[in-house]
Amino acid sequence: SEDFKCLSCDKANYKLIEKAKNEKIETVWDRAEAMQPQCGFGEMGLCCTNCSMGPCRIVKVSEDGPKKGICGADEDTIAARNLARSIAAGSSAHSDHGRDIAHALYNAAKNPESGYKVKNPEKLISLAKEWGISTENLDIKDIAAKVAETALQEFGKPFGHLRFVDRAPEDRIDIWKKMNVVPRAIDRDIVEVLHSTHIGCDADYRNIMVAATRAALSDGWGGSMIGTELSDILFGVPEPHEIEANLGVFKEDEVNLVIHGHEPTLSEAILVAVNDPELVELAKKQGAEGINLVGMCCTGNEIAMRHGIPMAGNFFQQELAIITGAVDAMVVDVQCIMPALSQVAKCYHTKLITTSPKAKIPGAIHMQFNEEEAIESAKKIVREAVSNFKNRRGNILIPQEKSKGFVGYSNEAIINALDGVANSVAHPMGTVKPLADAIKSGVLRGAAAIVGCNNHKVLHDKGHEELAKELIKNDVLVVTTGCGAYACIKEGLMSKEATKFCGKGLATVCELVKIPPVLHMGSCVDISRILLLLSELAKFMNVDIKDLPAAGAAPEWMSEKALSIGTYVVASGVYTMLGVAPQVTGSENLTRFLTDDIKDIYGGCFDIEANPQKAAEKIIDHIEKKRKSLNI
Ligand code: NFS
């Protein structure tokens, strides 16, 4: 298994990569190898396919060759347009997810057949109040309908700006106003990027980035935040749970159902269905002991956070999950689902079931998930999974590796945990005061978020883990979401014992407050939680987000969503470290803009460092500088 250490640093994966080799099954690592060398024009952002006079590409490596596209677009225009379009696509993915949650909330109010119910009426009422919706004489369902409709209006309202923008610190909103990037309506801001990057429209890279930044902010402070807030209302606010993680969570004697993708509207309904006595009975009739539901990628984060469902694996483990031979069905909805899965599934008995009209995969079984009768349609899907148990072929290998950790740190849960200890020291309950105090006193040097995907350009999971370890060793509290959260829990960084990796200050805080040093805050849309935590902290300390000793990092990012996230996080004032360079380096101007000039505008900027040790040093350096300017 020695050879596989250069592909992943997760031991559970070695045996399965070896199994894949023996069984002649191609994985993401094989395809990445076959792709070498990767296209230099694309890598630098210098290939333009925006019109059919092209494709055009700018030659940088020599004096010869075109320096302009056929329409005259130069490297700055081309690289910025490509980046902006990716940001718009990322923002649209998160926001469309948010829209689906809003529809589900509407269904919960209006359509009893849907099976959705409001689980947290307090959060619903508080959001209604925030949005100026009168709750007088209305029952929960009526309020839910109004809140859902108001949320849906955020996508296409003709005037004004997004409601959640007002949650940001005042200084931040002023910067956005000055830069003309206050998001107005989510669909509009995304459409505007597509329009302005059309052939013959915006050619000014800085102005292209204005539209792109606005579209990104409409994700973080719009679509994603709607997704998170309304999911909490519908499915409950996450609370700490101890759970198991890694491919060792599969059970030989139970039906293994993997739910993979993103939207809790599906995973929550599947969770109800797997507990249906009739389906459990059916599983037993097939010879199984029960139904083992496990999560993968961000929808796995969502149900782990709310229900303690095991986290099977992250983006780079999706094929390996099937290669165990123990997966009876993998049920997917949207985003981060490799089309390769259908080929892998064919080599086993596994049923790959697509459920969204937005994401069908040739070779998969399509069973449309109907949110108007969510539970019924989830039951049909689960029945399909259960009836496949008997078709197992015997070539099963479930790795031993799994680890335990605590997940479920919503802002509410973090504040609760802090309240628990600090209430001896008279302070207003339910505020970020204890967190601010810990930072001010220097016990905690600051906080960093480690988020995002897996990417073959980085040793799988190593970028996340090493960075996290280095930061907590230096008393920086780490919060994490997405595939980064999987890497951290698998490495034991969310367990009680994780304090052994911490510096003295952070270890003391963790023991006192009974939290792990790496806090699992959810899926990628839940990065909106991190924005809110930073906002609350900034407001409490009477500063702007950019002044906080805080940073962001996406060591293994790959998706367009990650580009949208990075952009809204930077525009919210956060220094953000990328482990993989974005495809912009062919434009020195744009690269300098993103890594430097932008600092003077928003206070945050991108930095690029592949080595986790060096990335940690830079983050710590940034944090210490911010402490100095705050005089703490
Ligand atoms: Ni987010 Fe990356 Fe996907 Fe989640 Fe994982 S790949 S941008 S982390 S599952 S969305």
Side-chain angles (χ1 to χ4, degrees):
S1 298
E2 279 299 303
D3 311 353
F4 307 127
K5 284 192 182 153
C6 58
L7 303 180
S8 172
C9 70
D10 179 345
K11 282 190 206 119
N13 294 348
Y14 300 162
K15 292 169 201 150
L16 289 164
I17 298 173
E18 189 169 34
K19 184 169 190 272
K21 285 250 171 336
N22 294 339
E23 293 173 359
K24 303 212 167 12
I25 294 162
E26 174 192 279
T27 65
V28 63
W29 290 282
D30 300 311
R31 291 186 298 273
E33 199 185 321
M35 197 56 68
Q36 303 311 316
Q38 289 184 261
C39 170
F41 297 106
E43 193 161 71
M44 292 194 285
L46 295 178
C47 173
C48 182
T49 57
N50 284 17
C51 87
S52 85
M53 293 195 292
C56 295
R57 74 263 179 278
I58 307 296
V59 173
K60 292 283 287 184
V61 286
S62 73
E63 289 295 304
D64 310 330
K67 305 298 171 207
K68 284 200 169 92
I70 293 168
C71 71
D74 64 11
E75 59 194 44
D76 301 334
T77 308
I78 291 174
R81 283 199 306 217
N82 289 343
L83 175 65
R85 286 193 161 211
S86 285
I87 291 170
S91 175
S92 70
H94 282 148
S95 299
D96 215 30
H97 165 160
R99 183 187 343 244
D100 278 354
I101 307 288
H103 275 294
L105 182 61
Y106 190 79
N107 270 320
K110 293 282 186 188
N111 180 0
E113 258 90 80
S114 72
Y116 294 127
K117 289 191 190 78
V118 169
K119 194 145 175 208
N120 192 322
E122 297 82 34
K123 193 154 179 168
L124 173 70
I125 291 166
S126 109
L127 183 57
K129 288 203 175 123
E130 180 184 334
W131 282 356
I133 297 166
S134 157
T135 55
E136 226 172 294
N137 300 326
L138 294 183
D139 67 12
I140 287 300
K141 282 192 177 165
D142 293 334
I143 302 171
K146 287 203 164 181
V147 166
E149 273 178 58
T150 310
L152 290 166
Q153 300 291 354
E154 292 294 275
F155 288 83
K157 63 186 180 188
F159 307 109
H161 63 261
L162 294 184
R163 289 163 183 269
F164 281 145
V165 164
D166 298 332
R167 290 178 164 192
E170 258 173 60
D171 292 354
R172 189 55 21 196
I173 302 175
D174 286 344
I175 294 170
W176 292 340
K177 279 188 186 150
K178 197 175 125 216
M179 288 312 297
N180 191 23
V181 296
V182 178
R184 302 158 300 188
I186 300 157
D187 291 347
R188 178 184 179 187
D189 291 331
I190 292 166
V191 164
E192 191 166 305
V193 171
L194 297 181
H195 174 191
S196 66
T197 55
H198 185 274
I199 156 83
C201 212
D202 201 349
D204 175 343
Y205 75 93
R206 290 178 74 113
N207 199 48
I208 291 168
M209 287 312 297
V210 168
T213 302
R214 199 189 295 114
L217 287 168
S218 82
D219 169 357
W221 296 88
S224 277
M225 205 170 275
I226 288 172
T228 297
E229 295 291 80
L230 302 198
S231 291
D232 282 0
I233 288 169
L234 264 177
F235 307 122
V237 176
E239 284 169 14
H241 288 96
E242 189 172 28
I243 66 150
E244 288 185 331
N246 213 346
L247 295 168
V249 299
F250 292 120
K251 294 183 178 157
E252 181 107 41
D253 52 1
E254 291 191 21
V255 172
N256 290 308
L257 195 167
V258 181
I259 177 82
H260 171 20
H262 283 76
E263 299 185 3
T265 37
L266 174 67
S267 49
E268 291 275 342
I270 295 282
L271 178 60
V272 174
V274 297
N275 286 301
D276 183 81
E278 189 204 316
L279 288 167
V280 176
E281 200 43 46
L282 182 67
K284 291 193 173 147
K285 274 198 198 122
Q286 310 280 316
E289 292 288 316
I291 308 172
N292 180 33
L293 175 67
V294 301
M296 178 146 269
C297 287
C298 274
T299 208
N301 286 319
E302 300 259 1
I303 48 170
M305 293 267 286
R306 293 198 178 88
H307 304 285
I309 299 301
M311 291 162 58
N314 55 8
F315 181 65
F316 264 24
Q317 291 179 289
Q318 52 187 295
E319 294 166 293
L320 301 182
I322 297 179
I323 290 166
T324 61
V327 174
D328 301 296
M330 184 176 276
V331 179
V332 304
D333 56 4
V334 287
Q335 302 169 24
C336 306
I337 300 145
M338 292 188 188
L341 290 181
S342 69
Q343 288 309 310
V344 183
K346 274 203 188 103
C347 306
Y348 299 90
H349 77 300
T350 307
K351 282 187 178 164
L352 175 68
I353 303 176
T354 55
T355 60
S356 166
K358 295 171 203 167
K360 295 188 180 181
I361 299 174
I365 304 165
H366 188 73
M367 297 180 76
Q368 199 130 316
F369 176 63
N370 179 2
E371 287 174 13
E372 265 140 44
E373 33 174 50
I375 306 300
E376 277 316 303
S377 91
K379 280 187 193 164
K380 281 186 200 141
I381 295 167
V382 172
R383 186 164 294 127
E384 188 78 20
V386 167
S387 62
N388 196 30
F389 179 77
K390 58 178 184 300
N391 299 325
R392 285 203 191 165
R393 294 181 193 163
N395 50 347
I396 292 175
L397 188 148
I398 300 174
Q400 296 295 308
E401 286 82 4
K402 56 180 170 181
S403 49
K404 276 189 170 179
F406 288 86
V407 303
Y409 291 93
S410 55
N411 296 1
E412 289 88 336
I414 294 173
I415 288 173
N416 261 342
L418 292 165
D419 270 342
V421 221
N423 59 10
S424 46
V425 208
H427 78 103
M429 298 283 282
T431 73
V432 289
K433 184 170 186 294
L435 185 58
D437 287 348
I439 290 176
K440 278 188 205 158
S441 72
V443 194
L444 283 186
R445 305 309 293 170
I450 300 180
V451 307
C453 330
N454 298 135
N455 187 325
H456 67 92
K457 294 174 184 172
V458 180
L459 179 60
H460 175 230
D461 285 344
K462 184 131 179 153
H464 297 295
E465 282 172 26
E466 282 215 346
L467 182 59
K469 278 190 188 158
E470 201 54 34
L471 291 173
I472 62 178
K473 191 170 99 192
N474 286 284
D475 291 332
V476 175
L477 177 73
V478 169
V479 300
T480 178
T481 63
C483 291
Y486 280 85
C488 291
I489 191 169
K490 288 189 291 176
E491 187 64 8
L493 303 181
M494 295 175 185
S495 69
K496 281 192 194 119
E497 295 75 41
T499 46
K500 69 174 181 237
F501 299 112
C502 299
K504 214 171 134 213
L506 180 57
T508 313
V509 172
C510 290
E511 271 152 22
L512 211 65
V513 188
K514 299 194 178 60
I515 53 169
V518 177
L519 298 176
H520 189 328
M521 292 189 74
S523 62
C524 274
V525 294
D526 290 335
I527 293 173
S528 61
R529 296 187 200 277
I530 303 176
L531 287 180
L532 291 177
L533 191 61
L534 290 172
S535 258
E536 287 310 303
L537 200 60
K539 286 184 200 165
F540 187 84
M541 292 170 73
N542 259 322
V543 296
D544 179 30
I545 296 173
K546 72 171 183 331
D547 305 314
L548 296 171
E556 305 181 27
W557 76 275
M558 59 83 200
S559 76
E560 291 174 312
K561 290 179 286 179
L563 284 173
S564 175
I565 295 167
T567 308
Y568 74 65
V569 165
V570 165
S572 298
V574 180
Y575 170 75
T576 301
M577 178 63 75
L578 303 176
V580 178
Q583 291 154 2
V584 297
T585 52
S587 161
E588 281 96 23
N589 281 330
L590 180 61
T591 306
R592 194 198 54 242
F593 176 79
L594 296 169
T595 54
D596 198 0
D597 303 354
I598 203 171
K599 216 183 307 172
D600 299 330
I601 307 172
Y602 297 109
C605 66
F606 287 103
D607 203 345
I608 302 162
E609 176 55 67
N611 179 314
Q613 302 291 335
K614 286 190 192 146
E617 267 168 44
K618 284 181 148 187
I619 288 171
I620 292 162
D621 196 47
H622 169 82
I623 285 175
E624 291 303 328
K625 273 196 196 126
K626 291 291 167 183
R627 296 189 63 89
K628 219 172 192 179
S629 345
L630 283 172
N631 268 326
I632 54 173

